Amino acid sequence: MTDVEIGRGKTGRRAYSLAEIGIVPARRTRDPEEVSIAWQIDAYRFDLPLMACPMDSVVSPATAIQIGRLGGLAVLDLEGLWTRYDDPEPLLAEVTELDEQAATRRLQAMYAEPISEDLIGRRIEEIARAGVTTAASLSPQRTARYAKAVVEAGADIFVIRGTTVSAEHVSGRAEPLNLKQFIYELDVPVVVGGCATYTAALHLMRTGAAGVLVGFGGGSGHTTVKVLGVAVPMATAIADVAAARRDYLDESGGRYVHVIADGSMTSSGDIAKALAIGADAVMVGSPLARAAEAPGRGYHWGSEANHTELPRGARVNVGTIGTLEQILHGPSTVPDGSMNLMGALRRTMATAGYSDLKEFQRVEVVVADSGPSGGHR
């Protein structure tokens, strides 16, 4: 692939965002009712290729149960308010009343409360008792410390999620998490990320992970680009990681690792394009934060927003547009792709002539010219 000259001393590869990608309709179409969007990872099958982000504004034990019953998989943040407080509801209500200047400082104070292993167990057991698949998330820094409590509580899927997760973290201060050994010794499937390059993804796949998260997380509320300057547009990131999946499939003699797009999933069109480019499923935050049942009550923030030293996220007002069921399955009352996300995906696949998700990954796509300034239309 040809690099673009940035200046005499630096070149870079041209990368594409989801906004620059279009799905090409085929000569053969289908009825949306005849399209399957079911997804399976390890032994767990889901009616929807959708994971709810481990964010306190999106996933509580109650919404995790509801999303599970609606066909998706919700991931509970085990470093959030639900594992620090017996009753976080008053704090969640307070977040909605803070002004912009006070929000970050107050969030930092709320998340300074220690994590309780007892609460980790109680929250996971509460979701598991409802009969839905249970997924829980920890950052790489806290995985070794709390993993035993997660497994003993009965979590079905373990998610290790950070802004950037590598298989070869180097630290002179502490012994880093040995992902390969950790995953090998664990009895539950592990999803790990984020990553955004072919090489990083291939290394994560070699650790034995069942799935890899593509992107830097945080979505609409993160400011990682402004704070750290770190960014890879999602369309290119997904395509690169999908290529790593293909090559690892050959290298491993047939072991398939799922690619999950994490970030930039703001509308039904984004979800469809992520799957068309090669993702097996998507991790969604802000669209679900707009549900009437969402614990954020119309506000949305991720773990980046409460970092003690370098916050890389903001609390954003996303509003409330409908119930979780309406947002996932419709009917939609708006024309902007924020409701009936899964119905829209079925219609996209039907328009392109594909009957299931694996076939849909072969759909033709085009790149829209972003113009000489490089901006998005």
Side-chain angles (χ1 to χ4, degrees), residues 305-341:
N306 56 68
H307 194 280
T308 55
E309 298 174 358
L310 193 65
R312 300 182 302 280
R315 180 208 61 172
V316 294
N317 187 348
V318 295
T320 300
I321 59 172
T323 65
L324 274 170
E325 185 167 8
Q326 286 176 303
I327 290 170
L328 288 176
H329 295 299
S332 174
T333 58
V334 292
D336 61 2
S338 61
M339 299 181 76
N340 198 4
L341 302 178

Side-chain angles (χ1 to χ4, degrees), residues 178-247:
N178 185 326
L179 270 176
K180 189 169 187 177
Q181 180 180 342
F182 176 80
I183 291 172
Y184 176 78
E185 293 174 352
L186 213 59
D187 291 330
V188 299
V190 176
V191 174
V192 62
C195 68
T197 67
Y198 171 93
T199 302
L202 194 58
H203 280 270
L204 288 179
M205 291 172 185
R206 288 170 178 162
T207 66
V212 170
L213 299 171
V214 184
F216 300 112
S220 59
H222 85 84
T223 57
T224 301
V225 178
K226 289 184 179 180
V227 178
L228 300 182
V230 174
V232 179
M234 275 298 286
T236 295
I238 294 168
D240 284 351
V241 176
R245 176 187 60 203
R246 177 199 62 212
D247 292 348

Side-chain angles (χ1 to χ4, degrees), residues 18 24 61 76 108 115 120 122 126 141 146 150-151 186-187 190 225 227 236 256 276-278 282 284 327 350:
L18 292 173
V24 179
L76 184 68
Q108 288 175 318
I115 296 169
I120 286 177
R122 282 163 51 188
E126 181 181 347
Q141 296 85 351
Y146 296 112
V150 176
V151 175
L186 213 59
D187 291 330
V190 176
V225 178
V227 178
T236 295
Y256 190 91
I277 293 167
V282 296
V284 174
I327 290 170

Side-chain angles (χ1 to χ4, degrees), residues 139-161:
S139 65
Q141 296 85 351
R142 290 193 169 106
T143 292
R145 180 175 179 180
Y146 296 112
K148 184 179 179 183
V150 176
V151 175
E152 289 180 349
D156 298 308
I157 296 175
F158 199 132
V159 179
I160 302 173
R161 183 175 184 262

Side-chain angles (χ1 to χ4, degrees), residues 270-285:
D270 294 330
I271 292 171
K273 287 187 276 189
L275 296 166
I277 293 167
D280 296 288
V282 296
M283 183 169 269
V284 174

Side-chain angles (χ1 to χ4, degrees), residues 24-57:
V24 179
R27 63 179 179 84
R28 177 184 296 140
T29 57
R30 297 179 182 273
D31 290 331
E33 295 77 15
E34 297 176 2
V35 170
S36 169
I37 57 172
W39 171 59
Q40 181 164 333
I41 181 168
D42 203 80
Y44 303 99
R45 186 182 186 279
F46 304 95
D47 293 335
L48 313 178
L50 178 137
M51 298 174 72
C53 277
M55 296 177 171
D56 281 340
S57 55

